[in-house]
Every structure is written in structure tokens, then in C-alpha cells.
Amino acid sequence: MAFFLPPSFRIVENALDAATLRQRVIANNIANVDTPGYKTQRVEFESILKEALQEDKPTTFIGKRTDPRHLSIGTAGGPEEVRARVSTDPTTWVENNGNNVDVEYEMTKMAENQIWYNALVEETNSFFTRLREVIKEGR
């Protein structure tokens, strides 16, 4: 089935994974609001994807890996291979106990992430609806 999917679909799939991870990380931040010394974690995806899209890479042959244990052939990477990363922000302090979780900010980010996730799901559903129409030959 993967040969039917364009590279842009892989980007949307990775963005969905990032949004899911971001929701878990934000929930974890909120759960640790009273934990002394806890530092807020963030999920980085959009900035990494933007960098990958802006890079001018020479077009070379890239072998498709069907298993992560396979060796890479050609230049690996590209926007469709971008994965989310979790980072910790040790620089700011909100509480005297060293905790830097701001609940209002985290709740705002959670709502924003939910809207983003819903948009990605709609895009995925739209893709499969169009694919279904093509398979049924427009009937």
C-alpha cells in the first residue's frame, strides 16, 4: 500500500505522530506542575520540517527501506523523513522550587495542538476519500 502514498502523505503522517507526542508531552507538563525542579518539555517538529524543506539537496537515487535494520542507499532524509524531537527548557523559572511549568500556557498549547491534530486528520480523511473515488473509477 505504501507505493500508493505520495511523499506529502508521509509528511502528514509524521505531523500526526508529532501532534500525538506533543499532546502527551503537554499533559505530562501539566501533571508535573507541582513537582519541584521539573522542567517543561517541548516537541520540535515544525521547525525541523521547515529546515528540511528549505535545504537544497542534489537529487540522487535513494533506496527505499522497508525495514529499519536495512542499510541506507543514497542520501537519506528529506522532508518525508522528518521526525519529532522532545527537548527540555532548563532556562526559565516560574516557581521558586525550580519548576517552570506555566499551566495557562500549557492549556493554550494543548488547545492549539488539538486544532492542528484535527486539521491533519481531516487532510488524511480527504486523501483517502479521493483515493477511494479513484479506485471506484468515480462511480
Side-chain angles (χ1 to χ4, degrees):
M1 169 98 167
F3 52 90
F4 286 118
L5 303 176
S8 60
F9 184 81
R10 187 78 176 131
I11 294 171
V12 172
E13 181 182 14
N14 291 341
L16 275 167
D17 291 342
T20 302
L21 177 61
R22 183 174 287 125
Q23 199 77 353
R24 278 190 265 133
V25 166
I26 293 171
N28 189 46
N29 288 341
I30 293 169
N32 285 290
V33 70
D34 293 324
T35 304
Y38 181 81
K39 300 300 180 190
T40 303
Q41 294 183 326
R42 298 277 173 246
V43 173
E44 299 173 34
F45 177 74
E46 289 80 4
S47 60
I48 300 169
L49 178 61
K50 184 177 179 181
E51 287 176 19
L53 289 170
Q54 289 177 347
E55 289 180 3
D56 291 325
K57 295 182 180 177
T59 55
T60 60
F61 176 76
I62 300 172
K64 180 165 176 70
R65 291 174 48 182
T66 56
D67 189 297
R69 297 173 293 183
H70 291 169
L71 296 174
S72 297
I73 299 173
T75 57
E80 64 276 357
E81 296 298 323
V82 171
R83 299 273 188 252
R85 281 191 305 230
V86 178
S87 63
T88 303
D89 180 14
T91 58
T92 60
W93 290 34
V94 175
E95 300 290 330
N96 288 335
N97 64 3
N99 187 312
N100 67 351
V101 177
D102 181 359
V103 176
E104 289 83 17
Y105 178 81
E106 296 298 324
M107 294 299 288
T108 302
K109 285 298 183 184
M110 185 175 272
E112 181 183 295
N113 188 59
Q114 186 62 45
I115 293 168
W116 176 239
Y117 180 85
N118 289 341
L120 291 169
V121 168
E122 286 297 320
E123 179 63 30
T124 304
N125 288 339
S126 173
F127 172 79
F128 283 115
T129 299
R130 290 189 309 267
L131 184 61
R132 190 177 314 115
E133 288 298 317
V134 169
I135 291 170
K136 292 195 306 188
E137 297 176 356
R139 288 186 247 162

